[in-house]
Amino acid sequence: MQLTGWGRYPIIEASPVTFQDHRSLAARLAETKPLIPYGNGRSYGDSALSSRFVPMRSRDRLLAFDPDSGLLTCEAGVLLSEIIETFLPSGWFLKVTPGTRLITVGGAVAADVHGKNHHQAGCFGDTVESLLLMLADGRIRRCSRKENPELFHATCGGMGLTGVILQVEFYLQPVPSAIIEQATIKTRNLKETFEAFEKYADWPYSVAWIDCLARGAALGRSLLMLGRFAPIGELDYAPRRTKTIPCNFPGFLLKSYSVRAFNSVYYARARSGISLNFVDIDAFFYPLDAISNWNRIYGGSGFVQYQFILPKKHSYTGLEQVLRKIMKTGKGSFLAVLKLYGPANDNYLSFPMEGYSLALDFKIEPGLFALLEQLDEIVLKHKGRLYLAKDARMSRDTFEGGYPQAEAFRSLRTSLGLAGAFNSLQSQRLGL
Ligand SMILES: Cc1cc2nc3c(=O)[nH]c(=O)nc-3n(C[C@H](O)[C@H](O)[C@H](O)COP(=O)(O)OP(=O)(O)OC[C@H]3O[C@@H](n4cnc5c(N)ncnc54)[C@H](O)[C@@H]3O)c2cc1C
């Protein structure tokens, strides 16, 4: 069968390594090497791709919930959307959620995903109490901050390279309603955007859409969206019905003039200053899930999401340089999302660090990878790194430059017999 990630690049031929229970999974791991776990395919690039993969989505049982502490135990193939549908009506929600609810809990741990509240709540791994992990020899290890801590910190953010996550115990948060109070702030340039992020850092959720083709004095103008759960309101929740795109979009729809026109209209529609409204959680957290296969708008050759993070000290100058470079080439991106992050955690390969990240979608076309290499240089020069869950093309040097714990991660894999057993196209490209 053909296998790909959300960016539909690359597409490979691969066979599933299926199993019924832990015993049969252990037997399959003993006879098949290398392989990689596959969640719901929402990572953009090649981190879940290998010619042999372990589909985890069917491991979808909710096993236990403690309403006193909010501790949920479930199998790794459960989708975040299934958790929301089950628990939100009783007043519980995820402590950390990414911009799609269509990922598995295993994928959330493996990429140590973050949401719009990283500056206050950290990563998904920070909400995990413990997990069960099957190693290459079929042994199952419980990992937590106290039990097998090194394996725990390597698995949260370890992109499936430390074994198969079978079960996860993690905390939900109580919420008063299923409604978000949203404030939108229109800024005129990058400086104002940064100032607004810092000024409103006490709001739990924040994210900015940035007009990446704005020039001159308007460079970095944005709409900053802030959110918090409304103190009173309904807890009823039914996921929004999704629309589908019937076919791959023709490329001309994504030319820079249409991105520029879209950006101008989107920015102009927002009121100046601050506007307030109430929205449901799907509209606030998961706007992209409204169209089930929006990844097809980029056409048959696919797209990449380029997401980098820079430490606070270098964020302004680094971002300015990246935006200028993109603006010069005219390769616009409809989606250009800026986020604020709190301190890094102890996980070997987690993406966040205290600072700002920008995520940009680019259709794959001639000249793109050369541009991205130039952006890599700017990112490294400013002491930043790229997000593994989005990556399909970074070089080993770029990876090493951004992830100081790469060598320690490699050594741990070797010492536990995991190197050569769990591999993805990405891990091979990066020499992991
Ligand atoms: C629209 C959209 C918005 C997004 N927004 C965000 C965001 O805001 N923040 C963010 O951090 N990410 C975001 N992402 C990325 C996404 O959250 C991650 O890539 C996530 O890992 C995908 O989970 P998945 O279940 O689809 O896993 P896959 O894509 O199938 O796999 C991802 C990685 O997890 C590993 N893995 C999966 N299951 C297991 C398992 N059981 N055991 C061991 N390893 C496993 C795979 O080997 C692979 O390395 C977004 C993605 C999309 C499509």
Side-chain angles (χ1 to χ4, degrees), residues 76-203:
V78 171
L79 291 179
L80 300 189
S81 59
E82 293 166 340
I83 295 172
I84 299 168
E85 280 168 51
T86 309
F87 290 97
L88 187 54
S90 320
W92 293 95
F93 189 67
L94 302 154
K95 281 186 158 197
V96 169
T97 179
T100 173
R101 48 175 157 58
L102 301 174
I103 70 164
T104 62
V105 168
V109 173
D112 203 11
V113 300
H114 57 268
K116 299 178 168 82
N117 58 350
H118 187 275
H119 61 294
Q120 291 194 7
C123 289
F124 193 86
D126 300 320
T127 75
V128 173
E129 180 63 36
S130 75
L131 51 90
L132 288 187
L133 183 74
M134 187 177 283
L135 302 183
D137 57 10
R139 271 181 304 157
I140 296 176
R141 291 266 182 94
R142 179 175 294 279
C143 306
S144 68
R145 284 169 197 82
K146 294 204 178 105
E147 219 175 326
N148 299 306
E150 290 198 344
L151 203 46
F152 177 80
H153 290 298
T155 300
C156 296
M159 305 310 291
L161 299 171
T162 59
V164 182
I165 302 165
L166 303 171
Q167 274 181 29
V168 185
E169 256 191 335
F170 63 103
Y171 291 97
L172 302 182
Q173 60 164 330
V175 292
S177 73
I179 305 293
I180 301 291
E181 184 184 352
Q182 177 177 274
T184 306
I185 297 166
K186 193 171 186 174
T187 67
R188 288 172 300 185
N189 53 45
L190 193 59
K191 186 166 172 282
E192 278 191 15
T193 307
F194 273 77
E195 283 167 0
F197 262 114
E198 299 296 331
K199 181 171 174 192
Y200 296 103
D202 57 332
W203 281 66

Side-chain angles (χ1 to χ4, degrees), residues 6 36-44 47-48 56 76-77 79 97-100 102-108 110-116 133 158-161 163-166 288-289 294 305 307 339 387 389-390 424 426:
W6 189 243
I36 196 78
Y38 190 92
N40 204 34
R42 253 51 183 192
S43 50
Y44 281 69
S47 64
M56 293 302 294
L79 291 179
T97 179
T100 173
L102 301 174
I103 70 164
T104 62
V105 168
D112 203 11
V113 300
H114 57 268
K116 299 178 168 82
L133 183 74
M159 305 310 291
L161 299 171
V164 182
I165 302 165
L166 303 171
L288 291 170
D289 288 346
W294 62 263
Q305 183 165 103
Q307 184 169 7
K339 281 187 199 152
Y387 191 8
K390 309 291 175 75
S424 58
Q426 180 179 61

Side-chain angles (χ1 to χ4, degrees), residues 101-102 239-245 288-293:
R101 48 175 157 58
L102 301 174
R240 287 198 171 186
R241 288 183 56 186
T242 55
K243 297 197 174 63
T244 52
I245 290 173
L288 291 170
D289 288 346
I291 299 173
S292 60
N293 53 353

